[in-house]
Amino acid sequence: MDLNFNKNEDHNKLLLSELKQKFAKVKLGGGEKRIEKLHAEGKMTARERIAYLLDENSENIEIGGFAGEGMYTDHGGCPSGGVVIKIGYIKGKQCVVVANDATVKAGAWFPITAKKNLRAQEIAIENKLPIIYLVDSAGVYLPMQDEIFPDKEHFGRIFRNNAQMSSMGITQIAAVMGSCVAGGAYLPIMSDEALIVDKTGSIFLAGSYLVKAAIGETIDNETLGGATTHCEISGVTDYKAKDDKDALDKIKNIVDKIGDFDKAGYSRIKAEKPALDQNDIYGILPKARNEQYDMMEIINRLVDNSEFEAYKDGYGQSLITGYARIDGWAVGIIANQRKVVKTKKGEMQFGGVIYSDSADKATRFIANCNQKKIPLVFLQDVTGFMVGSKSEHGGIIKDGAKMVNAVSNSVVPKFTVIVGNSYGAGNYAMCGKAYDPRLIFAWPSAELAVMGGTQAAKVLAQIEASSLKAKGEVVDEAKKTELFNKIKARYDEQTSPYYAASRLWTDAIIDPLDTRKWISMGIEAANHAPIQKPFNLGVIQV
């Protein structure tokens, strides 16, 4: 191993250590004191409930663990968006599990909470997966009600999705394990089956205090909407559980009886580990985002037996396209090549840049994968499309549009891994969030922005300096440096993978060594949902 490899390895392992430290804090939710209070009430935490519900020692992945990170600081923060979401196995069946975290503002819904719940439902809808709701929420966080209540992608969309998912035959099971008030009361009752925990669970449109204020009736919350009321009088819920574990055991029994599903039919054989050591990824991936490296060295440590069948290997070399298997699943891989390559015409292509021939190759490869029903995996480390007169005259916009068209209309499941840079239109062409990847996740080395921090800061600093000069202020070199550093610091914060994950632009930040698990579980989920329409590019400029 050379010195550069060791420096890269140290850097990437420090990033991974930071990730683990940040996530350990996130997992505490509202903090240890609130966890102790919850336990004193005879309740389990959201994470404890999910851990008990999922099959022991089975694989799972968490969606949106960093949602809300650094947001709502004026309101005390909202760790993990106040809700925990995992894809895992219950009685061997893959399911989505959504659990309100009552240690975070009593499980109240912030805007990011609604967005995260909608993401969970989107995953269940796309993949036809059963979804389990573990409800323990005080309802909408009233100080921010204007950002969560009335719009199309706000709180009400949850219940619209409940209704549509039921009509699609997607199993929804809800367990009321704490508060369930106001509009939130509709979620469990619009699910297919609803459970409620005796003495700790309650459902009502208005609590006892509001009832007293509204109509003058004096009644306690248990009589108003407790387990006995809803299981024996109103008939609102289907099962009464004596405690959290009893409720979760009942859910396990219900899921155990669900019948088999129609398969999409993606190819899978016996899984094999990569022949090359996956740990080498830490040393291969460069410390600086502008350094070159061979993306094939990464691919060979992600795919089964380190075997990769390149498609159009000598053409459009700034993109790597080809077939492989990941955990036994057949995949088509599209990856940005990050080293400078020399074409057969003697031209140089810069790493991380998409050229016309690369876009043309990717478009054809995407069509082939759709024809053969092969899921697509995008490995992003892209700075954008090539610019300049030669590229413009060569039709880069047309070729880029063809690639975006193919990504947009692809009907096989797509999975996006942000390895490094994810800049500008390159993010779009390489299946960014706007292009409906089934899962999109980042490594700690990722950066998402319209352009790199240095370039953006230079442009913005020049604009700011011009503005100051127009006002008659003196802008010397020291002032220009100050402006640049200030703007770059702000921009760098916004390009951080944590900034993206907090806003659910990505589903997670993961250890690179977990990439195979995420893709494998993602394809397994997608296999629940047969393709319903043919691949059609529509009208494109040829």
Side-chain angles (χ1 to χ4, degrees):
M1 300 297 177
D2 61 23
L3 181 60
N4 200 45
F5 183 99
N6 292 334
K7 287 181 178 179
N8 291 340
E9 185 176 43
D10 289 345
H11 173 74
N12 286 309
K13 286 189 174 180
L14 280 173
L15 291 180
L16 182 59
S17 176
E18 180 188 11
L19 170 65
K20 290 178 178 178
Q21 289 174 20
K22 283 178 176 286
F23 194 55
K25 184 177 179 181
V26 161
K27 288 197 290 187
L28 291 174
E32 292 178 350
K33 288 185 178 180
R34 290 181 181 173
I35 291 173
E36 289 172 6
K37 183 180 177 182
L38 207 65
H39 287 162
E41 295 170 359
K43 296 161 69 174
M44 304 164 74
T45 67
R47 292 184 180 278
E48 288 168 345
R49 287 166 174 167
I50 294 177
Y52 184 83
L53 182 60
L54 296 181
D55 295 345
E56 192 173 357
N57 298 322
S58 64
E59 298 278 25
N60 65 80
I61 56 178
E62 181 166 345
I63 304 296
F66 284 104
E69 176 79 1
M71 299 169 67
Y72 315 120
T73 53
D74 292 344
H75 299 270
C78 186
S80 214
V83 62
V84 182
I85 297 171
K86 289 195 176 187
I87 302 174
Y89 301 90
I90 302 172
K91 294 293 185 178
K93 292 182 172 65
Q94 201 174 38
C95 300
V96 180
V97 184
V98 181
N100 299 115
D101 187 347
T103 69
V104 179
K105 293 287 191 297
W109 289 54
F110 283 68
I112 196 67
T113 316
K115 187 174 183 179
K116 187 170 173 179
N117 274 267
L118 288 170
R119 176 61 178 143
Q121 290 184 321
E122 180 183 42
I123 290 170
I125 290 168
E126 285 182 328
N127 299 293
K128 302 294 186 289
L129 289 179
I131 184 167
I132 317 297
Y133 307 101
L134 306 180
V135 184
D136 193 346
S137 171
V140 167
Y141 183 62
L142 292 177
M144 302 187 75
Q145 65 85 27
D146 61 320
E147 297 182 45
I148 187 175
F149 171 65
D151 210 348
K152 180 178 179 180
E153 297 298 328
H154 283 179
F155 194 55
R157 189 77 169 184
I158 305 285
F159 315 129
R160 173 262 192 192
N161 286 352
N162 286 144
Q164 291 212 335
M165 290 163 75
S166 186
S167 73
M168 295 174 189
I170 298 170
T171 299
Q172 300 175 86
I173 303 167
V176 179
M177 310 179 83
S179 298
C180 184
V181 301
Y186 287 104
L187 184 146
I189 312 312
M190 294 192 73
S191 298
D192 302 315
E193 295 186 86
L195 306 84
I196 186 169
V197 178
D198 196 20
K199 300 299 186 286
T200 56
S202 58
I203 310 172
F204 32 66
L205 296 181
S208 57
Y209 292 122
L210 186 55
V211 167
K212 177 69 174 179
I215 63 174
E217 181 183 3
T218 301
I219 190 170
D220 64 272
N221 282 338
E222 184 65 24
T223 306
L224 181 66
T228 298
T229 294
H230 286 309
C231 287
E232 299 176 21
I233 299 174
S234 72
V236 165
T237 50
D238 306 309
Y239 308 91
K240 182 199 284 190
K242 62 182 181 181
D243 55 26
D244 280 8
K245 287 187 176 181
D246 187 37
L248 297 170
D249 285 334
K250 290 181 186 297
I251 292 172
K252 292 180 185 182
N253 291 334
I254 295 168
V255 172
D256 190 40
K257 310 301 187 298
I258 297 174
D260 203 359
F261 56 91
D262 295 332
K263 310 290 193 299
Y266 303 120
S267 172
R268 191 181 199 186
I269 62 174
K270 182 184 176 183
E272 300 286 351
K273 292 182 179 180
L276 299 177
D277 188 355
Q278 290 187 79
N279 288 284
D280 289 346
I281 289 172
Y282 301 124
I284 295 166
L285 197 64
K287 178 178 178 179
R289 288 284 84 242
N290 60 349
E291 287 184 21
Q292 304 291 305
Y293 66 96
D294 188 352
M295 179 61 87
M296 275 308 309
E297 294 296 323
I298 300 289
I299 293 172
N300 286 334
R301 286 161 177 82
L302 293 177
V303 302
D304 290 15
N305 282 325
S306 300
E307 293 176 352
F308 181 79
E309 185 67 35
Y311 172 82
K312 288 185 179 288
D313 192 25
Y315 178 72
Q317 293 178 74
S318 74
L319 276 180
I320 297 169
T321 54
Y323 305 103
R325 289 189 181 272
I326 292 179
D327 199 35
W329 294 102
V331 295
I333 294 175
I334 301 173
N336 301 109
Q337 177 56 284
R338 279 309 311 263
K339 68 176 184 179
V340 175
V341 294
K342 190 173 183 180
T343 69
K344 298 295 184 183
K345 296 179 181 179
E347 298 170 338
M348 304 303 291
Q349 291 193 349
F350 298 100
V353 180
I354 301 175
Y355 291 76
S356 283
D357 55 358
S358 306
D360 177 66
K361 175 172 80 169
T363 301
R364 179 61 182 267
F365 182 69
I366 290 168
N368 283 348
C369 287
N370 274 270
Q371 184 185 57
K372 293 185 281 191
K373 208 156 65 172
I374 300 173
L376 288 163
V377 174
F378 294 81
L379 300 178
Q380 284 197 10
D381 195 347
V382 58
T383 53
F385 285 89
M386 190 58 188
V387 297
S389 60
K390 185 175 182 180
S391 291
E392 297 293 0
H393 296 169
I396 185 67
I397 295 175
K398 176 183 67 177
D399 290 320
K402 287 195 296 186
M403 182 177 174
V404 170
N405 191 315
V407 172
S408 303
N409 285 300
S410 180
V411 295
V412 295
K414 299 167 294 196
F415 302 90
T416 302
V417 187
I418 304 175
V419 171
N421 302 325
S422 181
Y423 296 158
N427 169 282
Y428 301 160
M430 292 294 292
C431 197
K433 178 72 171 180
Y435 294 82
D436 297 322
R438 295 294 177 95
L439 294 171
I440 177 170
F441 48 95
W443 290 0
S445 48
E447 290 186 2
L448 287 83
V450 73
M451 65 175 71
T454 300
Q455 299 95 313
K458 284 180 180 177
V459 173
L460 293 170
Q462 287 171 0
I463 293 170
E464 182 71 15
S466 298
S467 177
L468 291 173
K469 285 180 181 178
K471 294 175 183 178
E473 296 186 30
V474 177
V475 182
D476 56 16
E477 288 304 314
K479 184 64 175 178
K480 288 180 180 178
T481 300
E482 179 190 340
L483 285 172
F484 173 82
N485 290 336
K486 181 180 177 182
I487 292 170
K488 188 174 186 303
R490 185 178 71 241
Y491 202 88
D492 285 347
E493 178 187 352
Q494 294 176 358
T495 64
S496 159
Y498 295 97
Y499 192 91
S502 71
R503 288 152 180 80
L504 290 174
W505 301 343
T506 61
D507 290 318
I509 307 169
I510 71 163
D511 181 343
L513 302 192
D514 286 334
T515 302
R516 283 169 53 84
K517 177 178 76 172
W518 272 74
I519 292 172
S520 178
M521 287 188 67
I523 299 175
E524 182 181 350
N527 205 35
H528 289 72
I531 296 170
Q532 299 296 318
K533 62 178 182 179
F535 174 66
N536 189 337
L537 280 177
V539 177
I540 60 172
Q541 298 288 334
V542 295

